[in-house]
Amino acid sequence: MIVGTSQGMIPASMSSRYRQGYAVVDVETSGLSPASHRVLQVAISQIAPDGSSERTWSTLLDPGCNPGPVHIHGLTRERLAGSPQYADVAAEVADLVDGRILVAHNAQFDWNFLAAEANRGNAPLTVDSRLCTMALTRRLDLPLPNLKLESVAAYWGVPQLAAHDAVDDTRVLVEVLRHSLVAADRLGLALPLTPCDGPPPVVYPAAPARPPCRWVYAGRWTPSTPLVQGMKVVFTGETRIPRETLTARAAAAGLDVMSSASSRTSVVVCPDPGYRTRKLEAARSHGTPVVSEEEFLRLLAQVAPGTDKSAASSRATISRCPTPADTVSQVPSPQEGVPSLVAPSRVASPHVAPPSAAPVRRGPLTGHRVLVLGGPHTDAAALRTRVGLAGGQAAANFTSSVTDIVALDGADADPRWHRGRAVGLQFLVPETLLPVPSPAQAAGATGLGEAESWPAEGALGTARAGIAAAVPEPVVLPRGGVVDLPSGDSWSLGVCWADGAATYPDDVAEVDVVAFVTDDGEEVGGDDDFVFFNAPTHRSGAVALELDLPGEVLVTIRPEALPAATRRVIVAATVADGKAFGDIGPIELTLRDDDGATLARATLDAATEEQSLIIATLYQRGDRWRFRAVGQGYASGLASLAVRHGVDIDED
């Protein structure tokens, strides 16, 4: 079968490089927790290694619970009524995904929900690995405003007809997968596959959705005053009255019942203040009042009127407030002597006010991403520093954003050198960082064979170029550089290193990325403020590590959830197996907002013999959060690094 995309024919080399079949999946759910929420709709499309479609299947499901965010997925109780339960279709789902790579946009979410449903139905799924199209898009480094499915689809020219409908989302994902695989094959990339192993997920009965609150948030509760409609209430511990009854009574009185405590929680209800729960720990860290069940029942009898959201919305006016420009400063480093930088203006996500324009440091390589290949680490690192001084950014991996290659001695032993020649990238002279004279460059280009028809020129190429042009250049931080961050619910720091598994599969050093939640003195409050491979999520949920992507770790930071006394997150990396960072090469950092829009980048490779490296720090200064690219190395390993930040390491 001949398979094509909107950009031309799919080259035969794709199915030779990626030989596995795929099961493209999308689920719509009643909430965000696979342990207690349920799948309401599932769609699966089987795709062969050559990109051709095989079998497509979908169904609605009625698990008998509250469908949750109907305003997002449109799946009402009435629409789901009469649909099968997951147990009725478990065998069908298992057959469709059996032995294939499961593909989804944010694949961890879809896999966790399907695995939880399979566990409930005692019908395990035989899937060895999954492929996240968000991770693949990051690996390709496409010029996108964010990582949402609609943005990725628009870049590849795939129309969305019904967002958050599993059937249409799967159709879109099939096309996104085809385009992405062709692009990955063109660059010779290994796919970022994640194993689907581990014990079956713990599951609970489906919980009812949180009752909606019609009243505007009324702030914190002050003791000796009445509760006010719109105040946020959290229950914890074993209450005398069933939790469901308390929740219903609180909601009926106009209170907003939450499932977790944060800095916006008005009051926490606990029958015994001696309990040790996460909610109580969070409440105490934020200074949130805690009352007994009896006290809450007395307060519930006299709740003061609040402000109706609909009335407040009708009175609201739109105003434009001035926003200070994001600034970048640098802590000078003896190796660099780089002057201070100022961040460029950027088109922010809708919930972030764009900063005003500011000048940026320019040079002959501004807008270029340069890959340095070959040579000893010290020579390559010095070249990457020169690239930064010339206004460019050094790249750790070969991606679609790489514009130039600098080849040092031995570069031709690296497969990326040959791929760079094949796709016709510009090569730079190491001594001058000027383009290689055109006759030599022309002689180096070998042509792409079947891949020459991809991507196609014309309307789609013009549209994609328009998308790329609208994406602002991110802030590029030198070692020690600092940038103020726009407000947001969370940030994601991607930590990547050279894709050794694809380049030199027999000589891959293991990199461990860890985080410390500390005070301003960079000391942890307790051992559980150390976030690492055996404890990848902080007790508050404010910091989490995603560790199952080859050559990449994602560090998610949710600032609102951080305990009040620990408003600093230090991200570090260590190298195992007797290696040092000189064996790893550059570490590339990409900081994104909660939509996936790129806020800042940095490339760090000053470390040579060091075994541990402070990568970055996110910290609060006044009412603003800042991000610093650090790059401070130490000769000792992970244990010494942890002790340095106050972690008590068991030496037994």
Side-chain angles (χ1 to χ4, degrees):
M1 176 182 292
I2 299 176
V3 181
T5 72
S6 55
Q7 298 185 66
M9 303 307 299
I10 289 180
S13 58
M14 188 191 85
S15 58
S16 299
R17 184 182 301 277
Y18 312 122
R19 299 174 179 273
Q20 56 272 42
Y22 309 92
V24 182
V25 173
D26 187 71
V27 298
E28 299 300 326
T29 66
S30 64
L32 301 177
S33 170
S36 54
H37 295 129
R38 304 298 298 273
V39 174
L40 307 178
Q41 184 185 27
V42 57
I44 303 173
S45 288
Q46 293 180 328
I47 302 298
D50 65 358
S52 60
S53 294
E54 294 179 319
R55 184 180 170 202
T56 297
W57 174 89
S58 66
T59 185
L60 296 177
L61 298 171
D62 184 5
C65 68
N66 189 317
V70 173
H71 64 287
I72 295 177
H73 51 57
L75 300 175
T76 63
R77 291 296 298 269
E78 292 75 18
R79 186 178 172 192
L80 296 174
S83 299
Q85 294 190 343
Y86 183 85
D88 300 324
V89 300
E92 189 85 7
V93 172
D95 181 61
L96 285 161
V97 303
D98 180 38
R100 294 174 178 266
I101 292 177
L102 185 139
V103 180
H105 205 65
N106 189 6
Q108 184 177 27
F109 178 89
D110 296 74
W111 166 251
N112 286 346
F113 265 95
L114 281 183
E117 292 289 5
N119 190 27
R120 288 188 184 95
N122 195 26
L125 303 174
T126 52
V127 177
D128 291 330
S129 57
R130 61 181 183 267
L131 172 62
C132 177
T133 49
M134 288 177 64
L136 182 53
T137 300
R138 287 197 308 269
R139 189 66 53 95
L140 292 171
D141 202 12
L142 301 177
L144 294 168
N146 54 57
L147 295 175
K148 293 182 177 180
L149 179 59
E150 54 263 38
S151 297
V152 180
Y155 180 84
W156 294 122
V158 182
Q160 272 192 305
L161 305 179
H164 299 294
D165 174 79
V167 174
D168 193 63
D169 283 351
T170 301
R171 177 191 61 80
V172 171
L173 272 172
V174 166
E175 291 303 310
V176 166
L177 175 65
R178 286 170 173 155
H179 289 299
S180 301
L181 289 175
V182 171
D185 173 56
R186 185 171 183 256
L187 296 170
L189 297 183
L191 297 182
L193 301 179
T194 298
C196 291
D197 51 11
V202 177
V203 293
Y204 304 101
R210 180 169 67 91
C213 182
R214 57 177 288 196
W215 308 101
V216 174
Y217 172 57
R220 296 285 198 97
W221 173 70
T222 302
S224 303
T225 65
L227 295 172
V228 180
Q229 289 176 324
M231 284 187 169
K232 298 182 182 295
V233 179
V234 169
F235 297 102
T236 188
E238 296 183 8
T239 53
R240 178 176 55 83
I241 298 176
R243 182 76 61 83
E244 295 79 6
T245 303
L246 283 174
T247 297
R249 291 175 63 176
L255 301 176
D256 195 359
V257 181
M258 309 295 291
S259 58
S260 61
S262 72
S263 60
R264 287 168 57 86
T265 302
S266 305
V267 64
V268 172
V269 180
C270 179
D272 183 351
Y275 278 146
R276 292 181 58 85
T277 69
R278 288 187 178 183
K279 294 176 183 178
L280 276 181
E281 287 182 8
R284 289 173 181 135
S285 70
H286 293 298
T288 304
V290 179
V291 300
S292 67
E293 182 179 355
E294 289 71 22
E295 168 105 15
F296 176 72
L297 292 173
R298 287 194 296 270
L299 291 168
L300 197 60
Q302 294 181 325
V303 177
T307 302
D308 190 290
K309 288 179 180 177
S310 59
S313 176
S314 65
R315 292 196 301 267
T317 57
I318 299 175
S319 60
R320 183 173 182 177
C321 300
T323 304
D326 285 354
T327 59
V328 179
S329 61
Q330 159 143 13
V331 176
S333 129
Q335 297 93 333
E336 297 169 322
V338 183
S340 297
L341 301 180
V342 180
S345 61
R346 70 187 317 279
V347 179
S349 302
H351 63 281
V352 178
S356 58
V360 296
R361 179 167 144 69
R362 296 285 172 181
L365 292 181
T366 296
H368 291 239
R369 278 176 55 78
V370 182
L371 185 65
V372 179
L373 300 177
H377 173 71
T378 51
D379 292 352
L383 253 176
R384 284 186 281 265
T385 298
R386 288 174 52 206
V387 167
L389 291 171
Q393 186 196 356
N397 284 305
F398 189 20
T399 72
S400 67
S401 67
V402 170
T403 56
D404 310 85
I405 289 179
V406 181
L408 299 177
D409 290 343
D412 56 354
D414 191 318
R416 295 171 294 181
W417 182 83
H418 299 281
R419 297 305 299 177
R421 293 182 61 187
V423 301
L425 285 186
Q426 179 170 267
F427 279 65
L428 304 180
V429 178
E431 293 76 17
T432 63
L433 293 182
L434 295 174
V436 170
S438 55
Q441 177 67 26
T446 62
L448 295 177
E450 287 187 84
E452 287 180 345
S453 63
W454 185 95
E457 300 296 332
L460 180 58
T462 301
R464 204 169 59 243
I467 292 172
V471 178
E473 293 181 19
V475 177
V476 178
L477 296 174
R479 182 175 174 227
V482 181
V483 62
D484 285 336
L485 299 178
S487 60
D489 295 331
S490 67
W491 299 299
S492 175
L493 177 62
V495 183
C496 299
W497 50 95
D499 189 5
T503 307
Y504 304 110
D506 297 328
D507 188 25
V508 181
E510 181 181 351
V511 178
D512 290 324
V513 176
V514 302
F516 302 93
V517 179
T518 75
D519 56 20
D520 288 340
E522 299 194 344
E523 287 278 334
V524 298
D527 293 350
D528 51 4
D529 287 331
F530 178 32
V531 185
F532 66 117
F533 44 84
N534 282 339
T537 302
H538 189 259
R539 66 181 188 277
S540 66
V543 180
L545 306 177
E546 187 174 339
L547 301 168
D548 50 9
L549 295 168
E552 177 185 18
V553 170
L554 293 183
V555 186
T556 302
I557 299 101
R558 299 175 177 84
E560 274 294 313
L562 281 168
T566 52
R567 306 295 287 174
R568 180 179 292 253
V569 178
I570 299 172
V571 181
T574 62
V575 186
D577 301 327
K579 300 282 187 177
F581 276 97
D583 302 310
I584 300 298
I587 301 292
E588 191 170 314
L589 309 181
T590 306
L591 185 70
R592 295 180 174 88
D593 67 12
D594 47 5
D595 288 332
T598 301
L599 301 176
R601 291 181 183 270
T603 302
L604 306 173
D605 64 344
T608 54
E609 301 300 321
E610 292 83 353
Q611 292 185 319
S612 59
L613 182 69
I614 302 296
I615 293 174
T617 305
L618 286 97
Y619 61 98
Q620 194 169 23
R621 177 66 57 85
D623 60 350
R624 300 295 298 270
W625 278 85
R626 312 186 92 190
F627 173 76
R628 182 191 299 274
V630 180
Q632 175 65 54
Y634 299 92
S636 53
L638 177 59
S640 296
L641 183 67
V643 170
R644 187 175 291 114
H645 290 286
V647 179
D648 185 13
I649 298 293
D650 186 359
E651 299 292 347
D652 293 338

